[in-house]
Amino acid sequence: MAGEHRAAFVYEDVMSRHVLSEGHPMRPVRLQYTNALLRAYGAFDAPGALVIEPRPASVEELTTFHKEFYVEIVQRLSNGDSVEQAHRFGFSNDGDNPIYKGMYQAALLSTGASVQAAELVADGTVPVAFAPAGGLHHAMAGHASGFCVFNDPVIAINVLRKRGKRVVYIDIDAHHGDGVQAAYYADADVMTISIHEGGRWLFPGTGDVVEVGRGDGEGYSVNVPLFPYTGDEVFLDAFDAVVPPLIEAFKPDVIATQLGVDTYLHDPLTHLALTTHGYESAIERLRALGVPWLAFGGGGYDLDAVPRCWAMAYAIMLGLELPNELPEGVDAFLESPMLRDGQVSMEADVEEQTRTFARERTEEVRERIFPFHGLS
Ligand SMILES: [Zn+2]
């Protein structure tokens, strides 16, 4: 494979410079830290690495999912124009989706990066492309939601579908991938699988196993809710029980994955308890599926964990082993003394509770979903 591109990283620093609002938990600077950490490790000089500067998405691309009126409203708000009842479209200055100058351009660029990643994979330029600014899985066709203005996973998957590709979307963010599920709820050409903290404890409140899809799409929406405090082992067991058999049955041409890091045990917004070890193993499992791979970022509000986890993810895509010892200079933005976490132990009764809950949910998935795919 000498000389061939192995993994694309679609990013430029302008994507990390905007601030949503003072004190907002979504901090785009985490992308800059990820990029700086990978650079310090020399990852972009490794064989097969390919860094691509993104271009903005076009309105035509956006409207494969979003309503035209909504795209216009985002543009007007971004320009500082007043819009009657902006809250109807998910925006408010003190809420999850604040209005800020340049919001439209920032959203176009992160969506465009995901589209470009999709094109690189569809063209066969690379077997895997990672767009870390993407993964904004909550945005709906006509309104913003959960820090997400445009749903880049849907826009990018639509690019793949236009080329006749069958896609499985796999979402390992702590939150349910509700916007992507909604886009393909009645569609058998895209399967969505979301593994997340259960909706009774966390935004957006959906993602129960009973949400299996509708009409032609029945059996193609897959949800594995997990109990708060679920850790590495239980998370990975749930993944193994559901994802590989469904991939085997559906035989996608491409997997599209949302790689949120808010499953992390110190994430300030959620209650799952994964360490870097669980995250890294999940990424290794995605690679082992052996399918052309489009990867997005996603949530992640612990700024010490996100750069480490996404650097590990890109290294796995490249087939590069990152030493645990951090390169010089990264202590300017990382607190952790090492790339990977130390040992974290969990109380046995808590772990037992999370295990029982996960086992019941995966059993339910096997009962409700597997028969649609000839699996038992
Ligand atoms: Zn999330």
Side-chain angles (χ1 to χ4, degrees), residues 137-138 146-147 171 173-176 202-203 258 260-263 269-270 298-301:
H137 57 172
H138 297 305
F147 317 159
D171 186 322
D173 191 279
H175 299 90
H176 176 225
L202 191 68
F203 177 91
Q258 202 271 21
V261 186
D262 47 10
T263 50
L269 300 192
T270 69
Y301 310 99

Side-chain angles (χ1 to χ4, degrees), residues 55 60 81 92 103 170 182 196 212 282 303 316 329:
R55 54 132 176 114
E60 197 183 352
D81 298 349
S92 66
M103 167 174 75
I170 306 166
H196 47 262
V212 298
L303 263 54
I316 290 168

Side-chain angles (χ1 to χ4, degrees), residues 158-175:
N158 286 348
V159 169
L160 298 172
R161 290 187 70 206
K162 209 171 158 188
R163 301 193 186 194
K165 307 284 187 196
R166 285 162 57 77
V167 180
V168 174
Y169 170 77
I170 306 166
D171 186 322
I172 61 167
D173 191 279
H175 299 90

Side-chain angles (χ1 to χ4, degrees), residues 44 80 82 144 163 199 209 221 232 239 274-275 301 312 324 368:
F44 299 128
S82 72
R163 301 193 186 194
V209 182
S221 285
D232 293 342
F239 181 102
L274 268 67
T275 69
Y301 310 99
M312 280 187 251
N324 207 16
R368 288 180 186 271

Side-chain angles (χ1 to χ4, degrees), residues 140-199:
M140 293 294 175
H143 68 94
S145 175
F147 317 159
C148 305
V149 174
F150 296 139
N151 198 314
D152 62 282
V154 172
I155 310 297
I157 290 168
N158 286 348
V159 169
L160 298 172
R161 290 187 70 206
K162 209 171 158 188
R163 301 193 186 194
K165 307 284 187 196
R166 285 162 57 77
V167 180
V168 174
Y169 170 77
I170 306 166
D171 186 322
I172 61 167
D173 191 279
H175 299 90
H176 176 225
D178 58 342
V180 185
Q181 174 176 298
Y184 303 113
Y185 205 57
D187 190 334
D189 293 330
V190 178
M191 175 183 282
T192 61
I193 305 174
S194 181
I195 304 174
H196 47 262
E197 182 176 342

Side-chain angles (χ1 to χ4, degrees), residues 10-11 15 30-31 110 113-114 130-136 152 296-298 310:
V10 188
Y11 171 76
M15 305 177 94
R30 65 204 180 124
L31 300 168
S110 57
S114 295
F130 184 21
L136 304 179
D152 62 282
F296 316 111
W310 284 348

